[in-house]
Amino acid sequence: MLNKSQWPETTSSAIDWIIASLDEKEKQIICETKKADLISLHFSLGIYIRNQLGMHSGNNALMKDCARSESSDDTSYLYYDPDSASGFLIEAVWKRLRHDRRSPAKAKASRSK
């Protein structure tokens, strides 16, 4: 697990971290997964996300940001759980990877950072 001081506190920084931690084969597998089948990643990538990003260990800032990003209801985070947050992040990673693969210039720029 990442050290508590390394936990991303926003969805954007969490997505960046997750993508940076994936190898090219993993990225390809995620890209090729149908949206309806992303749930199949719950017990692999989902567990990794939940454990590494402290979602069961007090990373309330990230949990709140995921809830706010997914819902316009400011109190939705009160009912949000690590499984929902990791599912939201998996879908966000999937969207970003698919977008980057369709936009070669953007993908190249993000890899050179």
Side-chain angles (χ1 to χ4, degrees):
M1 177 167 55
L2 289 176
N3 181 301
K4 191 174 186 174
S5 66
Q6 297 172 309
W7 287 346
E9 295 183 345
T10 66
T11 56
S12 179
S13 60
I15 293 164
D16 291 342
W17 183 87
I18 295 163
I19 290 173
S21 72
L22 299 170
D23 64 31
E24 286 305 313
K25 184 176 180 177
E26 292 166 325
K27 290 175 186 177
Q28 181 178 352
I29 290 168
I30 293 168
C31 278
E32 292 173 356
T33 301
K34 294 178 183 175
K35 183 177 181 179
D37 295 334
L38 290 175
I39 190 66
S40 68
L41 301 175
H42 179 76
F43 290 111
S44 54
L45 181 58
I47 288 173
Y48 178 73
I49 290 169
R50 291 187 295 277
N51 289 343
Q52 290 296 312
L53 304 186
M55 297 182 132
H56 288 291
S57 304
N59 191 349
N60 295 327
L62 179 57
M63 293 288 293
K64 286 179 182 180
D65 200 55
C66 286
R68 287 184 184 124
S69 295
E70 190 171 22
S71 170
S72 60
D73 179 2
D74 281 347
T75 62
S76 63
Y77 72 90
L78 296 172
Y79 311 101
Y80 215 60
D81 60 83
D83 290 336
S84 298
S86 65
F88 170 76
L89 290 170
I90 288 170
E91 185 173 335
V93 164
W94 175 80
K95 286 177 182 176
R96 170 113 39 103
L97 289 172
R98 290 174 63 94
H99 178 267
D100 286 354
R101 303 251 170 176
R102 280 182 261 153
S103 305
K106 182 176 173 85
K108 184 178 179 184
S110 69
R111 283 194 299 267
S112 65
K113 288 182 181 179

